[in-house]
Amino acid sequence: DVQLLESGGGSVQAGGSLKLSCQASGYTYKRNCMGWFRQRPGKDREGVAVLWIGGAQTTYADSVKGRFIITRDKARDLVYLQMNGLQPEDTGVYYCAADLLLMRPLEASEYNYWGQGTQVTVS
């Protein structure tokens, strides 16, 4: 199957940066799309950034465009989320997700494989 493990969360002051990592393992044929989602307090889980493994195409939520960057280390099967210019509204639990042939890649319901999440707090 597919396993995902996030790391790199923490607390930071507004304007600061954090870099999240997602270690993937398992069947690569089950995942051609990997993304980062977040669940802010009192809100539904929302897509933040998505990367297509084959062509390295990326998609971002409007709220993070220009501030967040999703990248992949193919050799180590890691996906990163570099978060710059963090604001208090970016506070939440950040999840790594993966799946195959998605029609709506920023929709959480499209994904079957999830990590356990990592907390990001911006004050």
Side-chain angles (χ1 to χ4, degrees):
D1 217 345
V2 177
Q3 295 82 40
L4 304 169
L5 181 64
E6 304 96 335
S7 61
S11 297
V12 65
Q13 291 188 336
S17 298
L18 281 174
K19 187 174 184 177
L20 305 182
S21 300
C22 173
Q23 178 67 65
S25 59
Y27 298 121
T28 55
Y29 71 88
K30 288 189 175 183
R31 48 185 172 96
N32 69 339
C33 189
M34 295 190 68
W36 286 96
F37 288 73
R38 67 185 179 189
Q39 190 155 15
R40 295 183 284 179
K43 296 187 178 295
D44 293 335
R45 195 170 298 189
E46 59 181 347
V48 173
V50 169
L51 179 145
W52 276 262
I53 293 173
Q57 180 184 352
T58 57
T59 297
Y60 294 91
D62 288 343
S63 58
V64 306
K65 281 180 182 176
R67 299 190 298 127
F68 292 10
I69 302 171
I70 185 171
T71 57
R72 181 175 181 244
D73 182 333
K74 181 179 179 180
R76 298 169 65 190
D77 209 357
L78 280 160
V79 174
Y80 300 104
L81 185 68
Q82 176 67 47
M83 304 186 294
N84 302 317
L86 284 162
Q87 299 300 319
E89 54 265 34
D90 294 314
T91 293
V93 180
Y94 283 69
Y95 298 89
C96 180
D99 217 304
L100 187 66
L101 299 177
L102 304 175
M103 297 297 292
R104 300 172 300 164
L106 286 175
E107 291 290 328
S109 60
E110 295 278 303
Y111 292 79
N112 286 300
Y113 304 108
W114 292 89
Q116 84 291 347
T118 185
Q119 177 71 42
V120 171
T121 303
V122 186
S123 59

